Amino acid sequence: MDGFLHRVKGLDAFPKVNEDFYKRTLSGGVVTLVSALIMMLLFISETKSYFYSATETKLVVDTSRGERLRVNFDISFPSIPCTLLSVDTRDISGEQHQDIRHDIEKKRLDSHGNVIESRKEGIGGAKIERPLQKHGGRLDKGEEYCGTCYGAEESDEQCCNSCEEVREAYKKKGWALTNPDLIDQCAREDFVERVKTQHGEGCSVHGFLDVSKVAGNFHFAPGRGYYESNVEVPELSLEAGFNITHKINKLSFGTEFPGVVNPLDGAQWTQPASDGTYQYFIKVVPTIYTDIRGRKIDSNQFSVTEHFRDGNVHPRPQPGVFFFYDFSPIKVIFTEENRSFLHYLTNLCAIVGGIFTVSGIIDSFIYHGQKALKKKMEIGKYR
């Protein structure tokens, strides 16, 4: 047994030196203090890194099909009233929606940007089309207007060209006009009145759109119904155009995840002298984020370029703010991971061992340098 213990003792890689042979120096003490301080700082930094999760990034080909895309937006237009502003969507598959109202809230703004009224009923008012003729069709250019009295006509030649004339015709018949919103003349006059009332105001719209995951666009513009209705509103003459100055308070695609950067948040553009169309070209990158608890978030990132198309060209483009989006074939996957405890211990050993070794080399260099210099001074080479 003693022989075995003796052989084990011979394997000692750390032979001990008698304390009588130790020599302590001032330079060694300084090196030791500095090394201990550095070691402590690196230990604290490594410990903090261990308790914080690291994010691993991976790129794969996007093979998903048949998904939907949620577009979240909050955009302010200081010079377009809410009654005129509409939002439309269109994609390359042919699917299109005009004057979308659901899941959208509008806020009327005064000239200073203060909120006058907030209503969660969609953008714009009732859709206004060309005037309804007595024969059932819509008014064409060059055609004389003769509005229907909705069955209350006293003769075949009678026309009701205003809401008041329809009311009078109903009154003569002894009928009650219970829902004037369904009467074309009343709806048109209400639209004109609201346009005049909101002249000089702005509009802030926010909400979300649910669109197919194919290339397409969504845009904010003075409603198509205004152009097609032949409504005469001198305060909003088409000759003057529309001021599409806007500020994008928020624009994102899908659910937000930690660390996401939306490049258009806070972007602002002021229209020059002439009107036109402002276009954003967006490349959407599908993204999956998995947090440390395993919760998966399907979202998107995007990059963007922009362009202003002047309205002083023929054919004249529709004024508005257009967002054209397309999808990247590459999907980004972020995964939060904690480092293993063994990895943490390995790094701590590397810190202690590395600093101890380097500090020993530095101390040895200083000690032997001082010793050689002192010896030369003793023999008179340095005075």
Side-chain angles (χ1 to χ4, degrees):
M1 185 66 181
D2 291 339
F4 174 74
L5 293 177
H6 182 73
R7 284 194 294 269
V8 172
K9 182 179 179 181
L11 297 175
D12 185 7
F14 308 99
K16 309 304 182 291
V17 180
N18 195 310
E19 291 187 3
D20 295 336
F21 296 97
Y22 282 131
K23 183 178 181 181
R24 303 184 186 279
T25 62
L26 177 61
S27 61
V30 173
V31 171
T32 301
L33 287 175
V34 173
S35 301
L37 179 61
I38 295 175
M39 197 179 300
M40 182 61 67
L41 291 176
L42 292 180
F43 172 78
I44 295 173
S45 175
E46 186 65 25
T47 303
K48 284 184 176 180
S49 298
Y50 171 72
F51 286 107
Y52 284 99
S53 59
T55 302
E56 179 184 348
T57 304
K58 184 169 62 174
L59 301 179
V60 298
V61 176
D62 185 14
T63 58
S64 60
R65 295 180 297 173
E67 295 184 352
R68 305 287 294 181
L69 175 68
R70 174 170 171 149
V71 182
N72 308 294
F73 60 85
D74 182 356
I75 306 178
S76 300
F77 296 85
S79 302
I80 300 181
C82 289
T83 297
L84 292 180
L85 195 62
S86 70
V87 59
D88 310 321
T89 64
R90 179 179 300 171
D91 60 42
I92 60 174
S93 69
E95 181 181 355
Q96 60 180 357
H97 301 277
Q98 296 178 336
D99 200 14
I100 299 174
R101 300 165 183 267
H102 54 81
D103 300 319
I104 294 174
E105 182 177 1
K106 63 177 181 178
K107 297 178 181 178
R108 291 171 56 191
L109 305 177
D110 61 19
S111 57
H112 301 289
N114 301 316
V115 177
I116 301 174
E117 179 186 18
S118 177
R119 301 179 67 182
K120 195 173 184 179
E121 61 172 335
I123 296 183
K127 187 173 182 179
I128 303 300
E129 300 184 2
R130 289 173 294 161
L132 183 65
Q133 290 281 58
K134 182 178 179 179
H135 54 69
R138 293 289 177 179
L139 178 64
D140 293 324
K141 290 185 177 181
E143 185 179 5
E144 185 178 353
Y145 178 47
C146 179
T148 176
C149 296
Y150 295 88
E153 297 91 343
E154 294 182 342
S155 65
D156 293 338
E157 293 78 18
Q158 183 179 357
C159 299
C160 294
N161 294 340
S162 68
C163 183
E164 185 60 31
E165 290 180 1
V166 175
R167 291 180 186 274
E168 287 295 327
Y170 266 61
K171 186 177 180 180
K172 290 180 180 180
K173 287 283 187 178
W175 299 348
L177 188 61
T178 57
N179 196 347
D181 291 338
L182 300 179
I183 304 300
D184 181 72
Q185 293 88 329
C186 299
R188 286 168 52 80
E189 291 174 11
D190 178 64
F191 172 78
V192 173
E193 187 60 33
R194 281 187 287 109
V195 170
K196 291 181 178 180
T197 301
Q198 298 183 17
H199 176 61
E201 295 181 1
C203 189
S204 175
V205 291
H206 71 90
F208 68 90
L209 302 171
D210 184 63
V211 297
S212 300
K213 195 176 177 180
V214 295
N217 77 82
F218 61 95
H219 57 270
F220 301 83
R224 186 171 63 93
Y226 174 73
Y227 287 92
E228 297 182 352
S229 63
N230 292 330
V231 174
E232 295 295 335
V233 186
E235 292 89 342
L236 291 172
S237 172
L238 287 179
E239 296 297 326
F242 289 93
N243 187 343
I244 58 172
T245 295
H246 61 278
K247 179 180 181 181
I248 303 175
N249 304 304
K250 193 73 177 176
L251 180 67
S252 62
F253 295 84
T255 305
E256 294 196 7
F257 58 89
V260 65
V261 177
N262 298 315
L264 285 179
D265 287 0
Q268 187 170 355
W269 180 80
T270 302
Q271 177 174 297
S274 60
D275 68 346
T277 301
Y278 204 78
Q279 301 168 323
Y280 293 94
F281 299 92
I282 297 173
K283 179 69 72 173
V284 180
V285 182
T287 302
I288 295 179
Y289 188 92
T290 305
D291 63 18
I292 198 66
R293 299 179 181 85
R295 186 171 64 97
K296 184 180 293 186
I297 301 176
D298 289 301
S299 186
N300 300 275
Q301 304 176 84
F302 68 94
S303 60
V304 61
T305 57
E306 49 197 86
H307 172 70
F308 175 65
R309 184 181 176 190
D310 198 302
N312 295 327
V313 294
H314 186 77
R316 186 177 184 180
Q318 179 185 1
V321 179
F322 287 70
F323 296 85
F324 297 90
Y325 56 88
D326 198 358
F327 293 87
S328 168
I330 301 299
K331 177 181 288 186
V332 180
I333 300 177
F334 294 116
T335 306
E336 284 187 352
E337 294 180 345
N338 274 336
R339 290 188 302 173
S340 67
F341 184 69
L342 290 178
H343 187 268
Y344 169 67
L345 288 180
T346 302
N347 284 354
L348 288 184
C349 292
I351 289 173
V352 174
I355 293 179
F356 189 84
T357 301
V358 172
S359 61
I361 294 173
I362 294 174
D363 178 64
S364 178
F365 175 78
I366 295 174
Y367 173 73
H368 289 290
Q370 288 179 340
K371 187 176 180 180
L373 184 61
K374 184 177 181 181
K375 187 175 181 180
K376 289 184 178 182
M377 290 180 65
E378 289 177 352
I379 63 177
K381 287 189 175 183
Y382 291 98
R383 294 183 180 179

